[in-house]
Amino acid sequence: MHSNQLSLTIVVVLLSAHFSPLAHSQELSILDKDETIQMEFLTKYLAAGFRERPLTADGVEITASRAVDGLTINPSSDVRRLVIRNDWAVETILRKIWEVRSRPKHEGHDIFLLVSLIVHSDRPDVLEIISSRLKNDPDFRDFISSILTHSISSAYPETPLMWYRALESENLVVRSEATKSLAEVFVDPPPSFRELWAKALVDRYGHSPTAIEMDTDPIFKAAHERNPAKAVQTRSMMLGLAEREYLRRQLPTPAVVKQ
């Protein structure tokens, strides 16, 4: 092989390795670093404005979503993952919220951006965090509304558990916001929400709900308050779907055939 051909072959091999999925899978994210570095990253990210301004772990601004010195930084997703995994990340953000709120002149928009870092993490205890730690904030009602709006727009299997806790909360603001938000959806729920609700009903009651249980179900009651006639139709449909879900769970798990 001629020297030029050999050089070209080496270059191609090196480029292929660099851009291969394996090479990228070896890049480190902030979540691969120890807790001290993660804390420094989050603190500097918040100090830099906690917006879409990608930073290295040393606080140096970089272009979005690229690898720097072997460390891949994706600020929004990395912060969300830090928050869902670590209570200290929640506390760090809460301290920043209180700091910004205490300033003589502060941007209200900044407060909501900070709260959204917790809300959008999809932590299962996000309702409890906000309703206990920020209940005295002047924008508390809007915070609760944002939790419910986000939960509806990106619902996942455990979300209904939070909806029930919100509807049965001792906090009047939480209850009223939950009733308002959920009634709009569950008066006539779309198919994806029917499936979620049917599963949640069986989880809640341990069986397909009876007519009495359905009449006193918090989600149904919220829908009924909004539109009684439509909610009655929904009630009949959901009793059938919950029964089907309960019976499905009684079926034996198919045996796995070993090859």
Side-chain angles (χ1 to χ4, degrees), residues 17-243:
H18 178 73
F19 289 106
S20 70
L22 178 60
H24 284 289
S25 68
Q26 294 173 343
E27 293 174 352
L28 297 176
S29 80
I30 193 67
L31 281 84
D32 297 307
K33 295 297 185 177
D34 63 42
E35 192 171 276
T36 300
I37 293 178
Q38 292 176 352
M39 288 179 170
E40 291 177 357
F41 164 73
L42 182 57
T43 299
K44 289 176 180 177
Y45 175 75
L46 298 178
F50 44 87
R51 294 180 176 81
E52 288 301 316
R53 298 172 59 182
L55 309 170
T56 66
D58 294 326
V60 178
E61 190 167 343
I62 60 174
T63 55
S65 300
R66 52 170 286 202
V68 178
D69 297 330
L71 183 63
T72 302
I73 302 294
N74 299 288
S76 290
S77 61
D78 284 349
V79 170
R80 283 196 298 270
R81 289 189 291 171
L82 285 176
V83 171
I84 196 170
R85 296 182 184 189
N86 303 285
D87 290 341
W88 61 257
V90 174
E91 294 300 324
T92 300
I93 294 171
L94 287 171
R95 285 196 297 271
K96 187 68 177 181
I97 292 171
W98 295 325
E99 174 199 322
V100 173
R101 179 65 81 186
S102 67
R103 295 172 186 168
K105 292 184 179 180
H106 66 269
E107 293 290 337
H109 184 56
D110 288 350
I111 300 290
F112 280 90
L113 284 173
L114 285 164
V115 171
S116 72
L117 296 178
I118 300 175
V119 171
H120 293 175
S121 72
D122 292 331
R123 281 183 62 117
D125 59 348
V126 64
L127 177 69
E128 286 68 34
I129 291 171
I130 301 301
S131 60
S132 64
R133 307 299 297 280
L134 295 174
K135 62 183 177 182
N136 295 321
D137 191 279
D139 291 316
F140 175 65
R141 181 178 291 275
D142 290 331
F143 298 161
I144 296 300
S145 177
S146 71
I147 292 173
L148 293 160
T149 299
H150 177 70
S151 73
I152 290 168
S153 65
S154 59
Y156 51 94
E158 291 76 22
T159 305
L161 297 175
M162 187 269 283
W163 292 337
Y164 277 114
R165 295 199 305 275
L167 288 167
E168 297 177 310
S169 173
E170 295 180 357
N171 189 303
L172 179 59
V173 171
V174 175
R175 287 203 313 275
S176 65
E177 286 300 312
T179 299
K180 180 174 66 176
S181 298
L182 297 174
E184 295 179 7
V185 176
F186 288 99
V187 162
D188 185 15
S192 60
F193 283 88
R194 296 173 197 169
E195 181 181 351
L196 271 178
W197 192 10
K199 291 178 179 178
L201 286 167
V202 176
D203 289 340
R204 180 177 175 86
Y205 300 105
H207 51 257
S208 53
T210 65
I212 293 176
E213 287 171 332
M214 194 68 196
D215 285 341
T216 58
D217 181 78
I219 292 180
F220 172 72
K221 287 173 65 178
H224 190 268
E225 288 178 14
R226 181 175 179 84
N227 187 330
K230 190 68 177 177
V232 168
Q233 297 176 19
T234 296
R235 171 185 178 278
S236 178
M237 174 185 64
M238 291 308 305
L239 283 170
L241 291 176
E243 176 69 12

